Amino acid sequence: MEWQFVIPQARAELLRSDKNNYCVGRVLDAAEVPDALKASRVVSNDPFAIFDHFDTFYSVIDNEKGLAGTHLLRAYDQLYGAIDKLGSTMADLLSRKEMDTTDRESSLNALKMLAFLVNGMVKVIDSHVNTASEKMTTKKNKKQSVNEQVEALDWDNKRYQCIVQLYNLMQLPLEKLWEPPVCEESFVDVICDVCYRTLEQSYVRTRNIADGVFRILGTAIKRYNHSLAFPVRIMQIIEHFETAIPPVAAGVLLLYEEFSIQTIYPVIIKEIIERLSVDSADSQTAKFYSHFLVELGTLAPKLMIPHLSMLSEELLNLESFTLRNCVLQIMGEAIVSELTSEELPDELKETRDEFLEDLLNHIMDISAHVRSKVLQVWLNLKEHNAVPLAWIHRVLNVAVERLEDKALVVRKQAIALIKAFLEHNP
């Protein structure tokens, strides 16, 4: 981040720049912060007072480990009020055909300062909550500690309000504050960083927060040139935070449905294939990416169909049985959801038959995990009347062979599939 704040000369003479080029004066000691926060309450009603109190909030962030959670929340609440007031002020300013240069620069500097500070406060409060959990030894106590901390600070609710506030802010024509009228990439990154950090938190799982996060990211992609950074950060989250996978999958679908962003799907799938081709033997990587692909395939099978041929070519021959199970399960979901109509065009019938052929072949897969999984997929197809008549005898012949499979779990699935065909024999 390489912003520079334009500030009055008298103020500038008192300030030094920190390593990120944010102007700060003296960083207060932890003992000085409570009194300074009392003096800084004015920013809640006058966002431009941040020019005089930036040091206080910077000091809160810098002294995070020496401050109680109540002080962190007090600082956050003041910043929240400041951004609320600034948003109202800027809405009026940005609606004018011509803006006074001084007003424009003051608003831009206040916006940059407050965005930077809110981002920092979200980080330190997250750290405060997570540190409390790490002090507990048992898993049960860990979970209880996190929940108690979140509840005590009301942080989950405040975080949702923060997301809503940032979304409202991003709806303004902020680019008008810059000359030329293009938002700096570093500013957009600071706003979006709050969103990505939200997805990484294990205790942030409400649908409203996740949807709000992706509405901000959708706005950033559509209006503020964030399309290149988005896949990189999302891939990092998928790879390292399993609890984030369902909301991320739902969020990618939201980007398609609400923002008509169609390029995200192929970019992410291509990135996943490239990553797995290099490191498919990593069990966690295979597991997390497979989980994400299955979530996508379940939520939006129609959108996955164009990419399944590429997935099957690249992943069905890899060593990881988890990846093969993933692709085959998505094929089954696609057939049930999108490829059962009698009026399918020839192209989609051909696609369906290719999927069925792959499913049939993998009943003989080298891995018992895959053989069992594919038999489950065929059972699901049968229960949804999605097995074409021409395929029934072929499937039954292979299923009967699996009655003598060396793996018990495979034999059980073969019996269940044959039983279903016998009970509902067309």
Side-chain angles (χ1 to χ4, degrees):
M1 299 169 196
E2 299 180 350
W3 311 347
Q4 287 283 3
F5 300 132
V6 180
I7 52 178
Q9 185 61 35
R11 174 76 171 145
E13 292 174 357
L14 300 174
L15 299 179
R16 63 177 174 80
S17 292
D18 74 343
K19 63 183 179 181
N20 290 320
N21 293 324
Y22 292 103
C23 297
V24 294
R26 184 174 69 87
V27 177
L28 306 176
D29 294 331
E32 300 176 277
V33 168
D35 288 338
L37 281 176
K38 292 179 181 178
S40 67
R41 285 180 295 187
V42 63
V43 302
S44 295
N45 294 310
D46 178 11
F48 299 102
I50 194 64
F51 299 142
D52 297 317
H53 295 280
F54 182 90
D55 305 352
T56 297
F57 296 100
Y58 187 92
S59 299
V60 173
I61 296 170
D62 195 62
N63 286 288
E64 59 169 300
K65 294 181 180 178
L67 296 173
T70 52
H71 292 133
L72 300 180
L73 260 294
R74 186 178 302 164
Y76 168 80
D77 287 341
Q78 291 180 16
L79 293 173
Y80 179 88
I83 289 184
D84 210 40
K85 290 291 183 182
L86 182 63
S88 300
T89 301
M90 289 195 305
D92 176 64
L93 177 68
L94 295 171
S95 66
R96 303 174 191 170
K97 291 185 178 179
E98 294 185 6
M99 285 186 286
D100 179 78
T101 301
T102 302
D103 290 343
R104 181 185 64 78
E105 289 184 350
S106 294
S107 295
L108 177 58
N109 287 318
L111 177 63
K112 286 182 176 183
M113 286 182 170
L114 290 170
F116 167 73
L117 292 171
V118 166
N119 179 282
M121 287 306 308
V122 168
K123 288 181 180 179
V124 300
I125 295 174
D126 281 342
S127 176
H128 181 83
V129 172
N130 292 328
T131 298
S133 71
E134 292 170 2
K135 293 179 180 179
M136 308 303 290
T137 54
T138 66
K139 289 185 178 180
K140 181 178 180 181
N141 285 338
K142 272 187 180 181
K143 183 176 181 180
Q144 183 179 357
S145 174
V146 175
N147 290 338
E148 286 176 354
Q149 285 290 331
V150 173
E151 185 176 347
L153 297 176
D154 194 26
W155 182 225
D156 217 13
N157 181 52
K158 287 181 181 293
R159 193 189 204 104
Y160 173 64
Q161 293 173 352
C162 176
I163 295 299
V164 171
Q165 184 184 64
L166 292 179
Y167 173 75
N168 291 335
L169 188 68
M170 293 287 276
Q171 302 315 299
L172 298 174
L174 299 177
E175 63 276 4
K176 291 183 178 180
L177 295 173
W178 277 267
E179 288 288 349
V182 178
C183 280
E184 291 175 3
E185 182 181 350
S186 55
F187 168 77
V188 178
D189 287 344
V190 164
I191 298 295
C192 291
D193 187 56
V194 176
C195 298
Y196 295 124
R197 288 190 60 80
T198 298
L199 294 173
E200 293 173 358
Q201 305 308 308
S202 60
Y203 52 84
V204 179
R205 283 294 154 264
T206 65
R207 180 66 183 269
N208 286 341
I209 292 183
D211 285 354
V213 160
F214 277 93
R215 288 191 176 100
I216 293 174
L217 295 174
T219 302
I221 292 169
K222 290 285 281 190
R223 291 177 49 194
Y224 299 113
N225 302 317
H226 192 65
S227 56
L228 294 179
F230 174 82
V232 176
R233 288 296 300 271
I234 285 297
M235 290 290 290
Q236 291 172 347
I237 291 171
I238 295 170
E239 188 170 346
H240 295 101
F241 301 94
E242 187 175 16
T243 53
I245 289 174
V248 168
V252 171
L253 178 59
L254 183 148
L255 294 180
Y256 177 83
E257 293 179 339
E258 293 193 17
F259 292 88
S260 300
I261 299 175
Q262 302 180 21
T263 56
I264 294 300
Y265 261 83
V267 169
I268 289 180
I269 289 173
K270 182 179 178 181
E271 289 287 339
I272 288 176
I273 289 174
E274 289 181 359
R275 178 74 174 84
L276 291 172
S277 298
V278 173
D279 198 13
S280 64
D282 185 330
S283 60
Q284 178 176 304
T285 299
K287 177 185 176 183
F288 286 9
Y289 283 146
S290 295
H291 184 184
F292 177 72
L293 290 172
V294 169
E295 286 285 339
L296 275 184
T298 303
L299 289 171
K302 188 174 183 178
L303 296 179
M304 286 293 286
I305 288 174
H307 308 292
L308 274 174
S309 294
M310 180 171 61
L311 283 170
S312 63
E313 289 175 7
E314 299 291 340
L315 304 185
L316 285 181
N317 295 320
L318 294 180
E319 182 179 345
S320 171
F321 71 84
T322 303
L323 294 175
R324 299 202 294 282
N325 278 350
C326 162
V327 176
L328 295 167
Q329 182 176 341
I330 296 172
M331 287 180 174
E333 293 287 347
I335 293 170
V336 169
S337 302
E338 303 293 335
L339 302 175
T340 58
S341 171
E342 294 290 337
E343 301 176 356
L344 282 177
D346 291 341
E347 182 180 352
L348 285 181
K349 285 182 179 178
E350 184 177 336
T351 298
R352 178 199 63 193
D353 288 347
E354 288 177 2
F355 295 168
L356 291 171
E357 198 70 52
D358 280 327
L359 289 168
L360 188 66
N361 291 337
H362 282 276
I363 295 180
M364 307 293 290
D365 194 279
I366 190 173
S367 168
H369 296 287
V370 178
R371 298 196 297 274
S372 172
K373 184 65 176 181
V374 175
L375 289 167
Q376 286 182 33
V377 172
W378 278 108
L379 179 58
N380 185 53
L381 292 175
K382 173 58 184 169
E383 290 174 345
H384 287 87
N385 297 316
V387 181
L389 290 176
W391 286 79
I392 290 178
H393 284 99
R394 294 181 64 188
V395 176
L396 273 172
N397 285 335
V398 181
V400 168
E401 294 179 16
R402 292 302 94 210
L403 292 175
E404 298 181 3
D405 197 283
K406 61 183 179 181
L408 175 60
V409 66
V410 177
R411 297 198 298 272
K412 283 185 175 181
Q413 290 300 330
I415 290 170
L417 178 59
I418 294 169
K419 180 173 179 285
F421 273 114
L422 292 175
E423 288 178 345
H424 304 282
N425 185 355

